[in-house]
Amino acid sequence: MNSMKSYVSVSLLMAGLVLLYGCPKSTEVSSAPEAQPQRVESAPAAPAAQTANAASSARSAGEVGTREASAKSAAGLRPIYFDYDKSTIRDDAKAVLKADAEYLKAHPGTKIRIEGNCDERGTIEYNQALGQRRATSARKYLAELGIPAKRISLISYGKEKPACSAGTEECWQKNRRDDIVSD
């Protein structure tokens, strides 16, 4: 009888430990890629004076160096930009994606990663989801232009990789983007 009592006690203890430590408390979503991506830095379509002001304020905000941006621009891939809280492809972004698709058609061995980004407003979870929807929209559009989806990987950084850190609408516009980088 004593051994039966010990068996039941040990069983209950083990079951309690499994319930206490065996079940995950929350699921972590990793948004970090295996390799550090290179950024394509480019301002959205804007008047020349506004673009010049944005470029000078962006430099002072600590954006990625022009050497990296030049290398990415030379690769033929450019970022696209989105409206606030939207994941639909704008008309100006369609023209950029068409040019990116032409580059990818001319370089059939190139695989790309679309990195969805958001401005700093909103929760981490919301911006992760919005960044994913933006990247998915771009992949869908590129697929419609004839780029096989198997050449395209997606990642959402949400608001974790801003291109600009000033809390202005001009800056937030630069952060609402998909970076398209070669994988």
Side-chain angles (χ1 to χ4, degrees):
M1 189 68 149
N2 223 4
S3 67
M4 180 67 148
K5 207 181 224 183
S6 295
Y7 177 74
V8 170
S9 295
V10 169
S11 296
L12 287 174
L13 180 62
M14 293 299 284
L17 288 173
V18 167
L19 288 174
L20 185 60
Y21 294 106
C23 298
K25 303 299 181 245
S26 65
T27 305
E28 289 188 29
V29 177
S30 173
S31 63
E34 292 180 16
Q36 182 65 21
Q38 294 179 332
R39 276 193 195 275
V40 179
E41 298 299 330
S42 171
Q50 185 180 2
T51 303
N53 289 339
S56 65
S57 65
R59 272 186 238 103
S60 64
E63 283 192 47
V64 175
T66 55
R67 204 172 340 131
E68 263 185 50
S70 300
K72 270 301 160 200
S73 296
L77 300 171
R78 297 184 318 181
I80 61 170
Y81 297 89
F82 294 87
D83 292 326
Y84 175 70
D85 201 29
K86 302 284 184 206
S87 60
T88 54
I89 306 294
R90 300 185 327 193
D91 288 338
D92 61 327
K94 288 179 182 179
V96 171
L97 287 174
K98 285 178 184 174
D100 287 348
E102 291 304 316
Y103 173 83
L104 291 169
K105 287 176 184 176
H107 300 86
T110 301
K111 292 185 178 186
I112 62 168
R113 179 177 56 249
I114 301 175
E115 301 174 344
N117 294 277
C118 302
D119 63 38
E120 65 191 52
R121 298 170 289 180
T123 65
I124 292 172
E125 295 82 9
Y126 180 80
N127 284 327
Q128 283 285 340
L130 179 57
Q132 188 69 30
R133 287 193 308 271
R134 288 174 173 170
T136 300
S137 293
R139 177 177 57 187
K140 181 180 176 192
Y141 193 78
L142 285 171
E144 290 171 4
L145 295 173
I147 306 302
K150 67 182 179 184
R151 291 177 60 189
I152 305 169
S153 64
L154 306 178
I155 190 167
S156 175
Y157 288 118
K159 60 183 177 181
E160 302 305 315
K161 291 195 160 225
C164 181
S165 58
T168 64
E169 180 56 41
E170 185 178 293
C171 185
W172 290 330
Q173 174 58 57
K174 291 178 185 178
N175 292 336
R176 296 190 302 258
R177 71 191 188 285
D178 278 347
D179 289 324
I180 302 170
V181 297
S182 56
D183 226 3

